Amino acid sequence: LVASYTFALIPETRKHGVRGVTLKAQVRTLWDALTSDRIFLAFVLIRLLWDFGLQIGGPYFAVYQVEVIKATPGFIGLLATVSAGTRMIGLRVWGPWLDRRGARWVTTVAALGIPVLPVIWAVSSRPWHLILAELPGGFLWAGFEMGIFTLFLELLEGEDNTQAAAGYMALSSGVSILGPFIGGWLIAQTGYAGNFLVSGAIRLAAALLFLVVLKPSGHVGTYQDSVPAA
């Protein structure tokens, strides 16, 4: 409640003449953004692939800790603390890199490291093994989330960015629904280890696509660059 009140205090520049936006308008704006800029289209498709790989394994990590690793509630809390601590360190480290190297570089480098994490989970057999995943996990996820958010804002510029962003989030929500269903089926067929390895493989494929498409040391255009002037 306090956080919600604080958010309400943030001054906001409102666009003049903005009327209620229908779902049809959001879909149309997202479609215009996707078809007007091949880089943004590739970014969205790769991000959806990344989210799919994440949702296949992510929801089952906590279940794996209890059912297979037999971790105690106290140890699970310790893991969360370790991850939060390295995340704070990561934000401090990735921030200057974001300023110097750019969002594409930070996103790609962090994404290439994250696929290792579910592999560590897959081969862990003792609770303390999971520390080896949570220590780098918080650090890497801090960089990825910082970079991907900044990159999204860079690519999706223009007056209709809010509607296009809403359409993108709708697609992402669909992936979040589908992923756990596939993940549950994989666990039934291959066990938790197989699920985590597939999750890591999909994340690695998406990370490599980020490397190829984003060109961390090159130039990536924006949606606004491809929209003709009125």
Side-chain angles (χ1 to χ4, degrees):
L1 290 175
V2 173
S4 299
Y5 174 74
T6 304
F7 278 125
L9 297 179
I10 299 175
E12 179 181 2
T13 302
R14 299 184 180 275
K15 298 177 181 178
H16 298 288
V18 175
R19 294 171 295 179
V21 180
T22 64
L23 176 61
K24 182 179 179 180
Q26 291 180 357
V27 173
R28 177 187 57 79
T29 306
L30 175 62
W31 177 255
D32 290 341
L34 294 176
T35 56
S36 298
D37 189 340
R38 289 179 296 177
I39 294 297
F40 181 69
L41 172 61
F43 170 82
V44 169
L45 294 177
I46 297 170
R47 180 64 195 273
L48 292 177
L49 177 64
W50 175 273
D51 289 345
F52 179 66
L54 176 64
Q55 291 299 325
I56 281 179
Y60 300 101
F61 285 158
V63 183
Y64 181 73
Q65 291 181 71
V66 176
E67 288 191 352
V68 179
I69 301 295
K70 305 300 181 183
T72 63
F75 188 82
I76 294 175
L78 175 62
L79 286 179
T81 302
V82 169
S83 179
T86 57
R87 177 184 174 84
M88 291 180 61
I89 296 173
L91 291 173
R92 180 64 183 88
V93 174
W94 290 108
W97 284 348
L98 184 65
D99 292 333
R100 292 195 300 265
R101 305 299 299 271
R104 287 166 283 152
W105 186 89
V106 169
T107 300
T108 303
V109 171
L112 288 172
I114 288 175
V116 177
L117 304 179
V119 176
I120 298 176
W121 278 79
V123 299
S124 297
S125 58
R126 296 289 186 274
W128 68 268
H129 294 168
L130 301 180
I131 296 178
L132 301 178
E134 294 303 313
L135 277 174
F139 180 84
L140 290 171
W141 276 108
F144 179 80
E145 292 171 358
M146 182 186 299
I148 203 74
F149 178 73
T150 305
L151 181 60
F152 184 77
L153 295 179
E154 291 178 0
L155 292 176
L156 188 58
E157 297 179 349
E159 288 296 319
D160 292 332
N161 57 356
T162 53
Q163 286 82 7
Y168 162 75
M169 293 303 296
L171 292 177
S172 180
S173 298
V175 170
S176 298
I177 294 173
L178 178 63
F181 279 107
I182 303 298
W185 178 82
L186 280 173
I187 291 174
Q189 301 299 317
T190 65
Y192 286 100
N195 172 287
F196 296 158
L197 291 175
V198 170
S199 176
I202 295 176
R203 297 186 207 187
L204 178 59
L208 293 175
L209 288 173
F210 274 132
L211 178 63
V212 172
V213 173
L214 296 183
K215 297 179 177 60
S217 58
H219 172 72
V220 174
T222 66
Y223 164 49
Q224 184 66 12
D225 293 337
S226 302
V227 176

